[in-house]
C-alpha cells in the first residue's frame, strides 16, 4: 500500500484510497535496475524445472473436478423437486468456480505444451460446462497481466468500485454515478453477486460482434450449455423452485469468483503509466498475496500466490508454492516489497479503500 522504491507517487486523487503511481525509474537510469535481477531469477526458475508442465497433477485435478461437477448434477436429480435442491445449487456454484480455475490455467497455457490443446480445454470448461466465453476472457485477462492496475489499459481497473462522475459523454448520469460512488463500499459484495451475469453478457456481445468461425463455435457451445442447463433444471423443478435454484447457483458462482479474484489487486497502487518501468516492478507492486496453507490454495485456485503468478504467468499452479521463497528473496534484494495479507485482512483493506473513496465522493458532491 506504499510507494515502492523507484516509483514516483503523483498527487493523490481524493476519490481513491490506493496510491496512484507514475511507474517510472530514475531518469538517469535507462533500464529498471530490478530487471537484471529478474532475468537472473527467471533463469534460475527455468533451470529448476519450475516452468515445466505438470501433466500428472492436471490429469488428476481435471478428472476429479469434472467428476464432482457431474456428481453435483446427479445429486440434484436425486433430491428432485424440493427446496433442498437450493443446497445443491450452492454446491454447483462452487463447482462452476472450480472449473473456472481450470479455465484460467488453460488460458495461461499452464496445462499443456500445445496452445491448441489449452484452447480446447478452455472451450470445454468455459463455454460448454459453465457457459462463459473463453475467447472473450483470455484477451481481457492477458491485458490485465500486461498492464496490472494501469489506468486505461487494465480492463479490471474500476471493477468492483465506482469511479467518480466526470460528465464525459457516454458515462452514467451524474446523479446515479454519484450515488454509486458514495455507497461503493456497502455495495461491493451485493454487486459481486452479479459478476457472472456481467461476464455472460460481455462474452455474448463480443461473439455477436466478431462473426468469425471461432466465435461461431463458441456461440454453439454456449447455446448448448444454456439449453441443457435450463432443460435439466425445468425438468426436475417447478417454475418457482427453478427460478430460486438458478438465482442461488449463479449467485454463489458469482460471489465465489469475486472473492477469489478481488483480493489480488483491489486497494493496491493504481498505475498512471508503466511505460518506463520494468516488467517485474509493474507486477510486484500492484499485486497482493493471500497467506494460508493447502486449503487456501485449493479454495482460491492458486490465485493466493498472485505475485508469483504475475511474475511467471505460465507456471503450473502446483509450482507457485515452490517458487515463493525465491520470489521473496528477489523482492527483498531489489527492494520492491512483497505484499501478503490474510484473506480477511485483504478484504479489510479493500473495504477501507472503498469507504475512503465513497467519503471523498460525498465531500466533493456536498
Amino acid at each position: 500500500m506504499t510507494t515502492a522504491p523507484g516509483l514516483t507517487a503523483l498527487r493523490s486523487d481524493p476519490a481513491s484510497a490506493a496510491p496512484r503511481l507514475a511507474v517510472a525509474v530514475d531518469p538517469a537510469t535507462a533500464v529498471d535496475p530490478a530487471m537484471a535481477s529478474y532475468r537472473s531469477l527467471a533463469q534460475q526458475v527455468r533451470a529448476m524445472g519450475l516452468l515445466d508442465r505438470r501433466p500428472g497433477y492436471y490429469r488428476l485435478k481435471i478428472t476429479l473436478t469434472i467428476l464432482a461437477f457431474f456428481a453435483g448434477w446427479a445429486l440434484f436429480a436425486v433430491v428432485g423437486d424440493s427446496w433442498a435442491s437450493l443446497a445443491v445449487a450452492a454446491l454447483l456454484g462452487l463447482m462452476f468456480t472450480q472449473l473456472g480455475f481450470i479455465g484460467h490455467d488453460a488460458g495461461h497455457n499452464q496445462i499443456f505444451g500445445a496452445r491448441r490443446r489449452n484452447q480446447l480445454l478452455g472451450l470445454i470448461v468455459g463455454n460448454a460446462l459453465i457457459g462463459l466465453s473463453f475467447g472473450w476472457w483470455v484477451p481481457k485477462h492477458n491485458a490485465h497481466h500486461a498492464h496490472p492496475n494501469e489506468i486505461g489499459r487494465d480492463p479490471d481497473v474500476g471493477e468492483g468500485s465506482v469511479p467518480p462522475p466526470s460528465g464525459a459523454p457516454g458515462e452514467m448520469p451524474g446523479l446515479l454515478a454519484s450515488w454509486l460512488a458514495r455507497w461503493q463500499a456497502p455495495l461491493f459484495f451485493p454487486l459481486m453477486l452479479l459478476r457472472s451475469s456481467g461476464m455472460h453478457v460481455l462474452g455474448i456481445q463480443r461473439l455477436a460482434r466478431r462473426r468469425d468461425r471461432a466465435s461461431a463455435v463458441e456461440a454453439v457451445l454456449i447455446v448448448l450449455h444454456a439449453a441443457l442447463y435450463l432443460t435439466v433444471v425445468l425438468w426436475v423443478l417447478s417454475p418457482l423452485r427453478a427460478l430460486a435454484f438458478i438465482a442461488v447457483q449463479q449467485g454463489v458462482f458469482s460471489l465465489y469468483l469475486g472473492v477469489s479474484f478481488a483480493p489480488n489487486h483491489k486497494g493496491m497502487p493504481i498505475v498512471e503509466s508503466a511505460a518506463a518501468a520494468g516488467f517485474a516492478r509493474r507486477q510486484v507492486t500492484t499485486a497482493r498475496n493471500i497467506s494460508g496453507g493447502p486449503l487456501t490454495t485449493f479454495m482460491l485456485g492458486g490465485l493466493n500466490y498472485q505475485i508469483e503468478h504475475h511474475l511467471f504467468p505460465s507456471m503450473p499452479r502446483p509450482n507457485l508454492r515452490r517458487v515463493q521463497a525465491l520470489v521473496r528473496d528477489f523482492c527483498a534484494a531489489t527492494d520492491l516489497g512483497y505484499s501478503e495479507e490474510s484473506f480477511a485482512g485483504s478484504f479489510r483493506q479493500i473495504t477501507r479503500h472503498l469507504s475512503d473513496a465513497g467519503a471523498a465522493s460525498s465531500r466533493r458532491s456536498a
Side-chain angles (χ1 to χ4, degrees), residues 270-304:
I270 298 296
V271 174
E272 290 284 359
S273 172
F279 168 82
R281 187 173 300 273
R282 294 198 306 272
Q283 306 304 324
V284 172
T285 57
T286 58
R288 178 198 293 115
N289 276 19
I290 303 300
S291 60
L295 179 61
T296 300
T297 300
F298 170 77
M299 293 302 297
L300 298 182
L303 297 175
N304 48 314

mmCIF file of all heavy atoms in Angstrom, residues 270-304:
data_model
loop_
_atom_site.group_PDB
_atom_site.id
_atom_site.type_symbol
_atom_site.label_atom_id
_atom_site.label_comp_id
_atom_site.label_asym_id
_atom_site.label_seq_id
_atom_site.Cartn_x
_atom_site.Cartn_y
_atom_site.Cartn_z
ATOM 1 N N ILE A 270 -2.539 2.171 -7.822
ATOM 2 C CA ILE A 270 -3.044 2.382 -9.179
ATOM 3 C C ILE A 270 -1.941 3.030 -10.005
ATOM 4 O O ILE A 270 -1.298 3.982 -9.561
ATOM 5 C CB ILE A 270 -4.300 3.274 -9.171
ATOM 6 C CG1 ILE A 270 -5.414 2.600 -8.386
ATOM 7 C CG2 ILE A 270 -4.745 3.592 -10.602
ATOM 8 C CD1 ILE A 270 -5.911 1.307 -8.991
ATOM 9 N N VAL A 271 -1.700 2.499 -11.186
ATOM 10 C CA VAL A 271 -0.590 2.949 -12.021
ATOM 11 C C VAL A 271 -1.075 3.950 -13.055
ATOM 12 O O VAL A 271 -2.053 3.714 -13.762
ATOM 13 C CB VAL A 271 0.061 1.733 -12.725
ATOM 14 C CG1 VAL A 271 1.129 2.179 -13.704
ATOM 15 C CG2 VAL A 271 0.648 0.789 -11.689
ATOM 16 N N GLU A 272 -0.389 5.104 -13.120
ATOM 17 C CA GLU A 272 -0.714 6.107 -14.140
ATOM 18 C C GLU A 272 -0.105 5.739 -15.482
ATOM 19 O O GLU A 272 -0.751 5.804 -16.509
ATOM 20 C CB GLU A 272 -0.192 7.485 -13.701
ATOM 21 C CG GLU A 272 -0.945 8.097 -12.535
ATOM 22 C CD GLU A 272 -2.296 8.659 -12.941
ATOM 23 O OE1 GLU A 272 -2.630 8.583 -14.133
ATOM 24 O OE2 GLU A 272 -3.013 9.144 -12.057
ATOM 25 N N SER A 273 1.162 5.359 -15.474
ATOM 26 C CA SER A 273 1.847 4.995 -16.709
ATOM 27 C C SER A 273 2.971 4.030 -16.376
ATOM 28 O O SER A 273 3.751 4.276 -15.462
ATOM 29 C CB SER A 273 2.415 6.225 -17.410
ATOM 30 O OG SER A 273 3.226 5.834 -18.500
ATOM 31 N N ALA A 274 3.024 2.936 -17.125
ATOM 32 C CA ALA A 274 4.064 1.936 -16.878
ATOM 33 C C ALA A 274 5.120 1.934 -17.973
ATOM 34 O O ALA A 274 5.923 1.018 -18.063
ATOM 35 C CB ALA A 274 3.424 0.551 -16.768
ATOM 36 N N ALA A 275 5.137 2.963 -18.807
ATOM 37 C CA ALA A 275 5.992 2.947 -19.988
ATOM 38 C C ALA A 275 7.470 2.811 -19.643
ATOM 39 O O ALA A 275 8.230 2.172 -20.363
ATOM 40 C CB ALA A 275 5.758 4.220 -20.804
ATOM 41 N N ALA A 276 7.896 3.437 -18.540
ATOM 42 C CA ALA A 276 9.326 3.452 -18.234
ATOM 43 C C ALA A 276 9.728 2.413 -17.208
ATOM 44 O O ALA A 276 10.881 2.356 -16.816
ATOM 45 C CB ALA A 276 9.720 4.852 -17.742
ATOM 46 N N ALA A 277 8.804 1.609 -16.732
ATOM 47 C CA ALA A 277 9.115 0.652 -15.682
ATOM 48 C C ALA A 277 9.329 -0.734 -16.257
ATOM 49 O O ALA A 277 8.787 -1.087 -17.293
ATOM 50 C CB ALA A 277 7.984 0.620 -14.661
ATOM 51 N N GLY A 278 10.106 -1.535 -15.554
ATOM 52 C CA GLY A 278 10.334 -2.894 -15.974
ATOM 53 C C GLY A 278 9.154 -3.788 -15.636
ATOM 54 O O GLY A 278 8.306 -3.461 -14.800
ATOM 55 N N PHE A 279 9.148 -4.948 -16.275
ATOM 56 C CA PHE A 279 8.060 -5.914 -16.091
ATOM 57 C C PHE A 279 7.901 -6.300 -14.629
ATOM 58 O O PHE A 279 6.802 -6.285 -14.077
ATOM 59 C CB PHE A 279 8.372 -7.147 -16.947
ATOM 60 C CG PHE A 279 7.501 -8.336 -16.666
ATOM 61 C CD1 PHE A 279 6.240 -8.438 -17.223
ATOM 62 C CD2 PHE A 279 7.948 -9.359 -15.835
ATOM 63 C CE1 PHE A 279 5.429 -9.538 -16.964
ATOM 64 C CE2 PHE A 279 7.145 -10.472 -15.574
ATOM 65 C CZ PHE A 279 5.898 -10.549 -16.135
ATOM 66 N N ALA A 280 8.997 -6.651 -13.965
ATOM 67 C CA ALA A 280 8.917 -7.146 -12.585
ATOM 68 C C ALA A 280 8.360 -6.091 -11.648
ATOM 69 O O ALA A 280 7.549 -6.392 -10.763
ATOM 70 C CB ALA A 280 10.296 -7.596 -12.115
ATOM 71 N N ARG A 281 8.766 -4.854 -11.811
ATOM 72 C CA ARG A 281 8.284 -3.777 -10.939
ATOM 73 C C ARG A 281 6.774 -3.595 -11.078
ATOM 74 O O ARG A 281 6.055 -3.419 -10.092
ATOM 75 C CB ARG A 281 9.023 -2.476 -11.267
ATOM 76 C CG ARG A 281 8.738 -1.329 -10.312
ATOM 77 C CD ARG A 281 9.646 -0.144 -10.613
ATOM 78 N NE ARG A 281 11.046 -0.511 -10.471
ATOM 79 C CZ ARG A 281 11.711 -0.466 -9.316
ATOM 80 N NH1 ARG A 281 11.103 -0.086 -8.219
ATOM 81 N NH2 ARG A 281 12.976 -0.815 -9.276
ATOM 82 N N ARG A 282 6.269 -3.636 -12.309
ATOM 83 C CA ARG A 282 4.829 -3.491 -12.514
ATOM 84 C C ARG A 282 4.064 -4.618 -11.834
ATOM 85 O O ARG A 282 3.020 -4.393 -11.216
ATOM 86 C CB ARG A 282 4.496 -3.509 -14.012
ATOM 87 C CG ARG A 282 5.028 -2.328 -14.781
ATOM 88 C CD ARG A 282 4.300 -2.171 -16.121
ATOM 89 N NE ARG A 282 4.313 -3.383 -16.938
ATOM 90 C CZ ARG A 282 5.281 -3.697 -17.808
ATOM 91 N NH1 ARG A 282 6.322 -2.899 -17.943
ATOM 92 N NH2 ARG A 282 5.201 -4.796 -18.523
ATOM 93 N N GLN A 283 4.574 -5.833 -11.960
ATOM 94 C CA GLN A 283 3.840 -6.987 -11.463
ATOM 95 C C GLN A 283 3.830 -7.057 -9.938
ATOM 96 O O GLN A 283 2.801 -7.329 -9.328
ATOM 97 C CB GLN A 283 4.431 -8.283 -12.037
ATOM 98 C CG GLN A 283 4.543 -8.325 -13.552
ATOM 99 C CD GLN A 283 3.226 -8.079 -14.261
ATOM 100 O OE1 GLN A 283 2.176 -8.487 -13.798
ATOM 101 N NE2 GLN A 283 3.290 -7.392 -15.402
ATOM 102 N N VAL A 284 4.978 -6.808 -9.316
ATOM 103 C CA VAL A 284 5.104 -6.997 -7.872
ATOM 104 C C VAL A 284 4.370 -5.919 -7.091
ATOM 105 O O VAL A 284 3.659 -6.203 -6.112
ATOM 106 C CB VAL A 284 6.594 -7.043 -7.459
ATOM 107 C CG1 VAL A 284 6.729 -7.037 -5.929
ATOM 108 C CG2 VAL A 284 7.262 -8.273 -8.043
ATOM 109 N N THR A 285 4.513 -4.669 -7.510
ATOM 110 C CA THR A 285 3.988 -3.566 -6.701
ATOM 111 C C THR A 285 2.472 -3.420 -6.779
ATOM 112 O O THR A 285 1.884 -2.708 -5.972
ATOM 113 C CB THR A 285 4.640 -2.240 -7.120
ATOM 114 O OG1 THR A 285 4.414 -2.015 -8.518
ATOM 115 C CG2 THR A 285 6.133 -2.261 -6.849
ATOM 116 N N THR A 286 1.836 -4.078 -7.729
ATOM 117 C CA THR A 286 0.383 -3.946 -7.861
ATOM 118 C C THR A 286 -0.372 -5.180 -7.376
ATOM 119 O O THR A 286 -1.604 -5.210 -7.446
ATOM 120 C CB THR A 286 -0.004 -3.692 -9.333
ATOM 121 O OG1 THR A 286 0.482 -4.774 -10.143
ATOM 122 C CG2 THR A 286 0.577 -2.375 -9.833
ATOM 123 N N ALA A 287 0.343 -6.206 -6.896
ATOM 124 C CA ALA A 287 -0.297 -7.473 -6.541
ATOM 125 C C ALA A 287 -0.196 -7.738 -5.039
ATOM 126 O O ALA A 287 0.704 -7.251 -4.359
ATOM 127 C CB ALA A 287 0.331 -8.632 -7.321
ATOM 128 N N ARG A 288 -1.120 -8.533 -4.552
ATOM 129 C CA ARG A 288 -1.170 -8.909 -3.140
ATOM 130 C C ARG A 288 -1.367 -10.421 -3.029
ATOM 131 O O ARG A 288 -2.270 -10.982 -3.651
ATOM 132 C CB ARG A 288 -2.323 -8.187 -2.440
ATOM 133 C CG ARG A 288 -2.498 -8.554 -0.981
ATOM 134 C CD ARG A 288 -3.883 -8.175 -0.441
ATOM 135 N NE ARG A 288 -4.099 -6.747 -0.376
ATOM 136 C CZ ARG A 288 -5.007 -6.097 -1.115
ATOM 137 N NH1 ARG A 288 -5.766 -6.772 -1.978
ATOM 138 N NH2 ARG A 288 -5.167 -4.799 -0.996
ATOM 139 N N ASN A 289 -0.545 -11.078 -2.234
ATOM 140 C CA ASN A 289 -0.727 -12.497 -1.949
ATOM 141 C C ASN A 289 -1.665 -12.695 -0.771
ATOM 142 O O ASN A 289 -1.821 -11.804 0.075
ATOM 143 C CB ASN A 289 0.617 -13.161 -1.625
ATOM 144 C CG ASN A 289 1.380 -13.589 -2.863
ATOM 145 O OD1 ASN A 289 1.112 -13.110 -3.971
ATOM 146 N ND2 ASN A 289 2.328 -14.476 -2.688
ATOM 147 N N ILE A 290 -2.265 -13.869 -0.701
ATOM 148 C CA ILE A 290 -3.105 -14.252 0.427
ATOM 149 C C ILE A 290 -2.409 -15.384 1.171
ATOM 150 O O ILE A 290 -2.082 -16.414 0.576
ATOM 151 C CB ILE A 290 -4.505 -14.701 -0.033
ATOM 152 C CG1 ILE A 290 -5.173 -13.587 -0.845
ATOM 153 C CG2 ILE A 290 -5.368 -15.105 1.153
ATOM 154 C CD1 ILE A 290 -5.365 -12.295 -0.094
ATOM 155 N N SER A 291 -2.169 -15.191 2.456
ATOM 156 C CA SER A 291 -1.477 -16.205 3.243
ATOM 157 C C SER A 291 -2.414 -17.372 3.540
ATOM 158 O O SER A 291 -3.645 -17.230 3.527
ATOM 159 C CB SER A 291 -0.960 -15.595 4.548
ATOM 160 O OG SER A 291 -2.036 -15.076 5.316
ATOM 161 N N GLY A 292 -1.829 -18.523 3.826
ATOM 162 C CA GLY A 292 -2.624 -19.702 4.143
ATOM 163 C C GLY A 292 -1.951 -20.961 3.641
ATOM 164 O O GLY A 292 -0.915 -20.909 2.970
ATOM 165 N N GLY A 293 -2.546 -22.080 3.946
ATOM 166 C CA GLY A 293 -1.979 -23.362 3.578
ATOM 167 C C GLY A 293 -2.641 -23.989 2.375
ATOM 168 O O GLY A 293 -3.237 -23.295 1.531
ATOM 169 N N PRO A 294 -2.591 -25.311 2.276
ATOM 170 C CA PRO A 294 -3.150 -26.024 1.122
ATOM 171 C C PRO A 294 -4.645 -25.771 0.906
ATOM 172 O O PRO A 294 -5.095 -25.721 -0.245
ATOM 173 C CB PRO A 294 -2.883 -27.497 1.462
ATOM 174 C CG PRO A 294 -1.711 -27.472 2.388
ATOM 175 C CD PRO A 294 -1.855 -26.220 3.188
ATOM 176 N N LEU A 295 -5.416 -25.615 1.992
ATOM 177 C CA LEU A 295 -6.845 -25.357 1.827
ATOM 178 C C LEU A 295 -7.080 -24.021 1.138
ATOM 179 O O LEU A 295 -7.942 -23.901 0.252
ATOM 180 C CB LEU A 295 -7.553 -25.391 3.182
ATOM 181 C CG LEU A 295 -9.061 -25.118 3.143
ATOM 182 C CD1 LEU A 295 -9.777 -26.162 2.297
ATOM 183 C CD2 LEU A 295 -9.644 -25.077 4.559
ATOM 184 N N THR A 296 -6.315 -22.995 1.525
ATOM 185 C CA THR A 296 -6.433 -21.685 0.874
ATOM 186 C C THR A 296 -6.101 -21.792 -0.605
ATOM 187 O O THR A 296 -6.794 -21.227 -1.458
ATOM 188 C CB THR A 296 -5.499 -20.674 1.551
ATOM 189 O OG1 THR A 296 -5.852 -20.545 2.934
ATOM 190 C CG2 THR A 296 -5.586 -19.308 0.884
ATOM 191 N N THR A 297 -5.030 -22.531 -0.910
ATOM 192 C CA THR A 297 -4.638 -22.703 -2.313
ATOM 193 C C THR A 297 -5.741 -23.404 -3.095
ATOM 194 O O THR A 297 -6.053 -23.016 -4.233
ATOM 195 C CB THR A 297 -3.333 -23.507 -2.397
ATOM 196 O OG1 THR A 297 -2.304 -22.797 -1.709
ATOM 197 C CG2 THR A 297 -2.914 -23.700 -3.841
ATOM 198 N N PHE A 298 -6.338 -24.434 -2.498
ATOM 199 C CA PHE A 298 -7.421 -25.145 -3.185
ATOM 200 C C PHE A 298 -8.625 -24.237 -3.390
ATOM 201 O O PHE A 298 -9.172 -24.156 -4.503
ATOM 202 C CB PHE A 298 -7.830 -26.373 -2.366
ATOM 203 C CG PHE A 298 -9.090 -27.031 -2.869
ATOM 204 C CD1 PHE A 298 -9.068 -27.829 -4.003
ATOM 205 C CD2 PHE A 298 -10.306 -26.833 -2.218
ATOM 206 C CE1 PHE A 298 -10.231 -28.423 -4.479
ATOM 207 C CE2 PHE A 298 -11.470 -27.426 -2.685
ATOM 208 C CZ PHE A 298 -11.432 -28.223 -3.824
ATOM 209 N N MET A 299 -9.048 -23.550 -2.342
ATOM 210 C CA MET A 299 -10.253 -22.727 -2.435
ATOM 211 C C MET A 299 -10.072 -21.545 -3.382
ATOM 212 O O MET A 299 -11.024 -21.120 -4.031
ATOM 213 C CB MET A 299 -10.655 -22.228 -1.049
ATOM 214 C CG MET A 299 -11.115 -23.328 -0.098
ATOM 215 S SD MET A 299 -12.534 -24.270 -0.734
ATOM 216 C CE MET A 299 -13.796 -22.994 -0.819
ATOM 217 N N LEU A 300 -8.860 -20.997 -3.483
ATOM 218 C CA LEU A 300 -8.614 -19.833 -4.339
ATOM 219 C C LEU A 300 -7.972 -20.223 -5.669
ATOM 220 O O LEU A 300 -7.570 -19.350 -6.439
ATOM 221 C CB LEU A 300 -7.729 -18.811 -3.612
ATOM 222 C CG LEU A 300 -8.323 -18.218 -2.335
ATOM 223 C CD1 LEU A 300 -7.376 -17.184 -1.725
ATOM 224 C CD2 LEU A 300 -9.683 -17.581 -2.607
ATOM 225 N N GLY A 301 -7.889 -21.497 -5.954
ATOM 226 C CA GLY A 301 -7.378 -21.935 -7.246
ATOM 227 C C GLY A 301 -5.949 -21.535 -7.526
ATOM 228 O O GLY A 301 -5.562 -21.360 -8.689
ATOM 229 N N GLY A 302 -5.133 -21.373 -6.465
ATOM 230 C CA GLY A 302 -3.741 -20.958 -6.646
ATOM 231 C C GLY A 302 -3.564 -19.465 -6.798
ATOM 232 O O GLY A 302 -2.425 -18.979 -6.867
ATOM 233 N N LEU A 303 -4.662 -18.703 -6.831
ATOM 234 C CA LEU A 303 -4.561 -17.253 -7.007
ATOM 235 C C LEU A 303 -4.022 -16.562 -5.763
ATOM 236 O O LEU A 303 -3.722 -15.364 -5.814
ATOM 237 C CB LEU A 303 -5.927 -16.672 -7.370
ATOM 238 C CG LEU A 303 -6.520 -17.166 -8.695
ATOM 239 C CD1 LEU A 303 -7.921 -16.610 -8.881
ATOM 240 C CD2 LEU A 303 -5.632 -16.787 -9.864
ATOM 241 N N ASN A 304 -3.916 -17.291 -4.659
ATOM 242 C CA ASN A 304 -3.324 -16.715 -3.453
ATOM 243 C C ASN A 304 -1.842 -16.427 -3.644
ATOM 244 O O ASN A 304 -1.270 -15.596 -2.946
ATOM 245 C CB ASN A 304 -3.525 -17.654 -2.254
ATOM 246 C CG ASN A 304 -3.150 -19.088 -2.556
ATOM 247 O OD1 ASN A 304 -3.521 -19.638 -3.586
ATOM 248 N ND2 ASN A 304 -2.405 -19.715 -1.653
#
